[in-house]
Amino acid sequence: MALWRTLSIPIASPHGLILSFLLLLHSAVTTTVAIRVRTIIHDPSPVKLPVFREAPAFRNGDSCGSNKDDRIHIAMTLDENYLRGTMAAVLSMLQHSTCPENLSFHFLCAHSDVKLVSSIESTFPYLNFKIDRFDSNRVRGKISKSIRQALDQPLNYARIYLADILPADVKRVLYLDSDLVVVDDIGKLWDVDMEDKVLAAPEYCHANFTVYFNDAFWSDPVLSNTFQGRNPCYFNTGVMVVDVDKWRKGGYTKKVEQWMAFHKKKRIYHLGSLPPFLLVLAGNIKPVDHRWNQHGLGGDNFEGKCRNLHPGPISLLHWSGKGKPWLRLDSRKPCVVDHLWAPYDLYRSSRHFLEE
C-alpha cells in the first residue's frame, strides 16, 4: 500500500471587514509561504502502543461502483492517545457501510510514526488509507489555553487545514473525531446535499449560543455585531461534511486563523478550536439531521459525568466531552452508553490473551 505523506502551508489572504478592522486595531497577521514536500517516516518515540485484533474483511455490495468518483473520503486525526478510539470508529464504519471498499481514510498525523502505520495495517489489512502529515508549526503561537488540556493539542486544530493537507483531487471530505462510532451507512451522510454551502453538520439552535463566547465579546459593540444578518446556531466540529474546493477558494482557513490571532490579543472565548469555526460559519452551514451526531456522551469538559442518550433515531454516537468510553470501561466504572461502544473495541487486553 502506497502511503503519501505531505506537509502543506497555505498562503494567507485578507478577509472580513469587521475582523480586518479589529485586527488592525490589535495586531497584524503574519503571512506564510506555501510548501509541499514528502517526508520520511520515522519512529520518534519509544511509546508502546496497544495491540489490536485483526478486523474481518468487509466487501462491497453488488450496487457499489468502483470508479474514483465513488470514493468516500474520511479524514481523522491519528495519535497514540486516541488510537483505540480511532480503531473502533473505523471498524464501525466498515461494518455498517454498504460499500466498505469505497471508504478512503486520510489519517492526519503530527508526526509520521511507523508504529502507528503498522498498527493500522495489521488491524485492517484491506483498508484503503493514507497518512497525511500535519505540521504542528502551523498553529505554533496561535493556540490559546482553554478549559481542558486535550483541547489545546495542535492536532486538535488540524481540521482547520484540511484543504491544505488533503490531495488536490479530494473535492469533499467527511471529518470525524476519534471518539465516536457510526451505526448506520456512512454513505448517507456523505451524500448530503450541500446546497452551495461550504460545510454541513447537525445544527443545534435550541442551545444557548451566547455561552460559547465571554462577556468581553458580547459587550463589545463591534464584536457583538459579528453575527449580524445570520441566525447563528451551535454545531459540533467533530462531525462535518466539508466542500474542500469551496473552503480553499473562499479562504476559510485564513478566516479561522484571523479569529485565533485576535483571540490571542483579547480573549473572547474559553474552548479550543470550536469558537473560531462558529465565528466564521455559524448560521451559514447546511443543517444535517441530528441523528448524525448524538454528541456529549463523554459528559462535560470538567468531570465527564455519565449522560443519557437524547431521544430520537441514532446513526452516530459521539463521546465528546472529558469521559472516553475505553477509559471508563478499563476503570470498571463505565456509563451505560459506553456499552454501545464496546462491541467495536478491537483492543487485545491481557485478559483477552489469557482467554485465548
Side-chain angles (χ1 to χ4, degrees):
M1 181 182 297
L3 303 180
W4 293 96
R5 290 96 184 167
T6 60
L7 163 62
S8 304
I9 304 176
I11 297 177
S13 60
H15 163 71
L17 293 176
I18 293 177
L19 186 52
S20 297
F21 171 72
L22 292 169
L23 288 170
L24 283 172
L25 288 177
H26 292 276
S27 67
V29 178
T30 303
T31 301
T32 56
V33 180
I35 302 173
R36 185 175 291 274
V37 297
R38 291 182 187 176
T39 61
I40 299 174
I41 198 164
H42 67 287
D43 185 4
S45 66
V47 175
K48 186 177 181 180
L49 297 179
V51 179
F52 299 94
R53 302 190 302 277
E54 181 179 320
F58 297 91
R59 301 303 183 191
N60 280 356
D62 294 337
S63 63
C64 300
S66 57
N67 297 321
K68 187 177 180 180
D69 291 342
D70 296 314
R71 290 283 182 190
I72 297 175
H73 295 279
I74 301 164
M76 305 178 72
T77 58
L78 184 67
D79 71 353
E80 296 90 345
N81 294 326
Y82 282 79
L83 182 60
R84 191 166 163 190
T86 301
M87 295 297 195
V90 171
L91 175 62
S92 71
M93 283 181 266
L94 294 172
Q95 184 171 319
H96 295 287
S97 176
T98 302
C99 305
E101 291 179 279
N102 289 357
L103 303 187
S104 182
F105 289 87
H106 301 263
F107 293 116
L108 314 179
C109 296
H111 51 74
S112 299
D113 190 336
V114 65
K115 291 181 181 179
L116 286 172
V117 177
S118 297
S119 185
I120 295 172
E121 289 178 332
S122 61
T123 307
F124 300 103
Y126 306 100
L127 191 68
N128 178 19
F129 77 95
K130 293 180 180 179
I131 300 294
D132 292 304
R133 171 80 186 279
F134 169 65
D135 182 8
S136 57
N137 289 323
R138 292 298 305 271
V139 291
R140 189 179 300 277
K142 297 185 178 75
I143 298 176
S144 301
K145 187 176 181 180
S146 66
I147 60 175
R148 186 157 61 90
Q149 187 177 3
L151 300 176
D152 302 337
Q153 301 306 309
L155 200 57
N156 191 46
Y157 289 79
R159 70 195 79 191
I160 298 169
Y161 301 93
L162 288 171
D164 307 313
I165 298 171
L166 298 176
D169 61 344
V170 176
K171 307 300 182 184
R172 175 184 288 204
V173 68
L174 292 175
Y175 177 85
L176 300 175
D177 277 348
S178 297
D179 53 357
L180 55 79
V181 292
V182 179
V183 293
D184 200 347
D185 185 354
I186 195 67
K188 296 176 183 177
L189 180 58
W190 172 262
D191 288 335
V192 63
D193 182 1
M194 301 283 284
E195 295 182 358
D196 294 324
K197 301 296 185 183
V198 70
L199 189 148
E203 199 174 43
Y204 304 91
C205 295
H206 64 279
N208 182 4
F209 189 77
T210 62
V211 302
Y212 295 101
F213 305 95
N214 61 23
D215 291 341
F217 177 87
W218 294 114
S219 63
D220 187 298
V222 179
L223 288 171
S224 59
N225 283 327
T226 299
F227 299 104
Q228 190 171 15
R230 291 190 269 166
N231 180 27
C233 297
Y234 162 74
F235 65 91
N236 182 280
T237 57
V239 179
M240 303 184 292
V241 188
V242 181
D243 186 316
V244 183
D245 271 352
K246 282 189 173 65
W247 183 283
R248 187 180 294 115
K249 293 173 182 176
Y252 284 90
T253 294
K254 185 60 180 178
K255 295 174 185 179
V256 174
E257 282 185 325
Q258 285 181 325
W259 278 114
M260 292 169 62
F262 180 79
H263 179 62
K264 290 288 288 185
K265 299 295 182 180
K266 180 179 180 178
R267 290 188 65 84
I268 55 175
Y269 53 79
H270 303 294
L271 292 173
S273 60
L274 169 64
F277 264 90
L278 296 178
L279 286 161
V280 174
L281 289 161
N284 194 27
I285 70 169
K286 165 65 178 180
V288 174
D289 194 297
H290 288 179
R291 69 188 301 151
W292 284 105
N293 196 350
Q294 177 87 208
H295 68 288
L297 301 183
D300 60 25
N301 281 303
F302 297 101
E303 299 181 50
K305 291 183 179 179
C306 294
R307 287 184 177 175
N308 296 322
L309 295 173
H310 305 299
I314 300 170
S315 294
L316 185 150
L317 297 156
H318 187 187
W319 279 260
S320 57
K322 185 177 181 180
K324 302 306 172 190
W326 56 93
L327 297 178
R328 296 196 295 213
L329 287 164
D330 286 353
S331 70
R332 302 198 176 186
K333 296 179 181 179
C335 300
V336 174
V337 294
D338 297 338
H339 294 289
L340 298 174
W341 180 89
Y344 303 99
D345 186 14
L346 291 168
Y347 174 55
R348 295 178 71 103
S349 65
S350 56
R351 183 175 61 180
H352 184 87
F353 279 123
L354 291 173
E355 289 174 353
E356 288 186 341

